[in-house]
Amino acid sequence: MKPESVSTKQQRIAALAQANPAMVFTSLNHHLDLDWLRHAHALVRKDGAAGVDGQTAAAYDDRLEENLTGLLNRIKSGRYKAPPVRRAYIPKPDGTRRPLGIPTFEDKVAQRAIVLLLEPIYEQDFKPCSFGFRPGRSAHSALRHLRSFIMENGARWVLDLDIRKYFDTIDHRRLREFLDQRVVDGVVRRMIDKWLAAGVLEEQQWQRTERGTPQGGVISPLLANIYLHVVLDDWFAETVLPRLKRRAGLVRYADDAVLAFEDFLDGQRVRAVLGKRLERFGLSLHPEKTRMIDFRFQRPTSGRHPATQGTSFTFLGFTHVWGRSRKGKPVIYQVTAKDRFARALGAIHAWCKQHRHQPVREQARHLGRMMQGHYAYYGITGNGRRIRWYAHQVERIWYYWLRRRTRAGTARAPSYRGLLDRYPLPPPRIMHIYTVASETGS
């Protein structure tokens, strides 16, 4: 639970920011105290990998009060030195590797403390179209909003955006200019500058980072949201929308964004200027992944519009397609994207192969957790068929690897059904209900 002192201070900051949209905050660091840092520490995950100093959360907590007192003094006096992040890689589905940055545990606490100062301010500024990494908002909020906007406003032309390497290409000079519009507190800004200049440590070699946000850092999503708020959200709301003929909307989750238009020519006009707008701030659209989609429910017999690329689109792991409800009404179905579905089953297959010799009870327990995690994200209204097929495929994969661990493959389906009765896997579940299930045929 958030300490009352921290909550009260954040409410005061938020009230000031809301009442004074043009106000520049010159003094924020006086809110930082030990209670503030204790709360920041409580919010940081304790199971993450260690940074360049090798210190774990458990080791830091052994002398927590002493460590937090020292951290507070170094932040306030300007003696805090932001350590470089440790570079690590994870494989991507296309065979390449995605770089990750792992900050030290103390750096995560410091970043969280600054985020707690900035968040109340920028939550008053951010537009309703922004959903990523914001309190009380989630990917499902974005999906629900997008579905409702398209169906209720007759938006039939979708511009699916892909910003090339967004988090790695944010211009530091421009970011500082955007921050100047709201926060100039010396302690806060000095800390942000240190994180931007901290660099990356890879194979004992330090690399300077002159663009991008702190990799893996707690503050990175907030800084990225501030940047796109100015570059995209505010520009679209204040400059673009008043110039369009008909209705249009933007839904953004971090750097994933979709624009939906009621009028085709409006979409073409925005697409023509959007690339130039991003280039002005050091960003660029991916030429192959940015597409205009013909998302009309009923298209002429000639098929989709020749100036478009496709009739469906994927956003936040869900492919959006038109269908009919049980009552025959046109509705949008958000179904698990094929690549995400294959990746989820691939993870099940790899785990079962590696752990097939573990006790069956332990296997069932772990597979259950993996399935529950899948349902928690993909179990939405209209996606029931994919969820049920996923559960069926998990059973088949587990059956396959249980048979492989026997010498002669003597296990047969009846004994396997008995095994499932004894060690049941969680049944498919719809966790996020957007509308009444009978209306959508989920």
Side-chain angles (χ1 to χ4, degrees):
M1 182 179 294
K2 185 184 297 187
E4 185 175 351
S5 59
V6 174
S7 179
T8 301
K9 291 175 182 178
Q10 286 188 310
Q11 290 173 10
R12 291 173 181 169
I13 296 171
L16 270 176
Q18 185 178 39
N20 304 279
M23 178 180 179
V24 180
F25 286 78
T26 59
S27 179
L28 285 171
N29 74 88
H30 63 279
H31 294 298
L32 284 173
D33 55 21
L34 276 177
D35 280 343
W36 196 279
L37 287 188
R38 290 189 191 103
H39 181 55
H41 169 268
L43 294 176
V44 175
R45 287 182 55 181
K46 309 300 189 295
D47 57 350
V52 295
D53 62 355
Q55 188 176 47
T56 64
Y60 192 85
D61 290 357
D62 284 342
R63 303 169 63 185
L64 182 59
E65 287 301 305
E66 181 180 342
N67 287 331
L68 291 181
T69 300
L71 175 61
L72 179 63
N73 291 335
R74 281 178 282 134
I75 292 175
K76 290 290 189 83
S77 66
R79 293 182 291 108
Y80 182 81
K81 294 183 179 180
V85 298
R86 180 168 66 85
R87 172 66 58 81
Y89 293 91
I90 58 172
K92 296 174 63 176
D94 59 5
T96 60
R97 298 190 304 167
R98 182 190 304 277
L100 295 179
I102 304 175
T104 64
F105 181 78
E106 183 173 70
D107 206 43
K108 293 177 185 178
V109 176
Q111 290 189 31
R112 176 59 66 187
I114 299 301
V115 167
L116 290 172
L117 281 176
L118 297 178
E119 211 167 54
I121 299 172
Y122 285 102
E123 277 301 305
Q124 315 312 312
D125 298 348
F126 288 155
K127 301 294 184 182
C129 65
S130 171
F131 291 88
F133 307 107
R134 294 182 57 189
R137 292 180 166 232
S138 67
H140 294 104
S141 304
L143 289 163
R144 187 182 298 110
H145 180 83
L146 176 61
R147 181 180 185 273
S148 299
F149 179 84
I150 293 177
M151 292 184 63
E152 295 172 7
N153 293 277
R156 298 298 182 260
W157 309 94
V158 173
L159 182 55
D160 185 8
L161 302 186
D162 188 282
I163 303 176
R164 192 197 299 264
K165 297 182 179 180
Y166 172 62
F167 286 89
D168 297 329
T169 55
I170 292 175
D171 186 288
H172 288 178
R173 180 180 63 84
R174 290 286 195 176
L175 176 59
R176 292 186 180 98
E177 291 176 358
F178 298 160
L179 290 168
D180 286 342
Q181 298 171 15
R182 264 312 213 176
V183 177
V184 295
D185 177 279
V187 171
V188 174
R189 293 298 300 275
R190 187 163 55 238
M191 290 292 289
I192 293 175
D193 284 341
K194 289 179 178 181
W195 286 317
L196 293 177
V200 174
L201 190 67
E202 182 175 6
E203 296 180 352
Q204 304 304 314
Q205 295 292 321
W206 180 76
Q207 301 175 16
R208 180 185 298 275
T209 51
E210 298 182 353
R211 302 178 72 86
T213 55
Q215 293 191 23
V218 176
I219 201 169
S220 180
L222 177 61
L223 296 179
N225 265 340
I226 293 171
Y227 203 82
L228 271 188
H229 164 73
V230 178
V231 174
L232 182 60
D233 303 352
D234 198 52
W235 170 74
F236 183 78
E238 305 299 329
T239 304
V240 174
L241 277 179
R243 291 173 167 80
L244 299 183
K245 290 173 55 179
R246 304 181 76 175
R247 292 171 294 187
L250 165 67
V251 177
R252 181 176 66 82
Y253 188 92
D255 60 330
D256 290 329
V258 169
L259 291 94
F261 303 90
E262 189 179 4
D263 183 77
F264 173 73
L265 292 179
D266 282 343
Q268 290 291 78
R269 289 170 57 200
V270 172
R271 183 176 186 176
V273 300
L274 182 58
K276 298 176 183 178
R277 170 71 180 180
L278 295 180
E279 288 175 4
R280 178 182 168 189
F281 297 94
L283 306 175
S284 62
L285 291 173
H286 195 294
E288 298 177 359
K289 296 181 180 180
T290 299
R291 306 179 304 150
M292 178 66 79
I293 307 299
D294 183 346
F295 202 59
R296 291 175 291 178
F297 174 68
Q298 292 181 324
R299 284 179 288 275
T301 55
S302 57
R304 67 174 175 85
H305 195 285
T308 61
Q309 298 168 283
T311 57
S312 64
F313 65 96
T314 297
F315 181 60
L316 299 180
F318 290 87
T319 298
H320 293 63
V321 295
W322 280 101
R324 289 191 181 276
S325 71
R326 290 176 180 175
K327 295 187 176 181
K329 297 180 180 180
V331 295
I332 294 175
Y333 285 100
Q334 296 168 313
V335 299
T336 312
K338 291 182 179 179
D339 61 333
R340 296 291 187 93
F341 191 82
R343 191 188 312 173
L345 291 181
I348 294 288
H349 189 278
W351 190 90
C352 288
K353 177 181 179 180
Q354 183 178 357
H355 300 88
R356 62 186 183 275
H357 296 296
Q358 283 188 357
V360 176
R361 184 185 300 276
E362 292 182 13
Q363 291 189 47
R365 186 180 299 115
H366 185 88
L367 287 174
R369 289 196 294 267
M370 295 179 74
M371 296 174 74
Q372 293 286 14
H374 188 87
Y375 301 155
Y377 187 76
Y378 292 103
I380 68 172
T381 297
N383 197 30
R385 290 180 181 176
R386 286 284 172 93
I387 290 295
R388 289 190 292 271
W389 185 243
Y390 167 82
H392 173 69
Q393 290 294 89
V394 171
E395 290 185 2
R396 291 183 70 248
I397 293 170
W398 193 28
Y399 182 30
Y400 172 82
W401 285 109
L402 286 176
R403 283 174 58 92
R404 287 292 299 269
R405 78 177 190 168
T406 64
R407 290 186 177 180
T410 56
R412 292 294 183 265
S415 62
Y416 180 63
R417 299 315 311 179
L419 181 114
L420 283 179
D421 289 339
R422 187 175 180 184
Y423 305 105
L425 296 176
R429 292 184 61 192
I430 299 299
M431 308 292 290
H432 306 276
I433 300 176
Y434 294 173
T435 54
V436 179
S438 61
E439 291 287 330
T440 63
S442 65

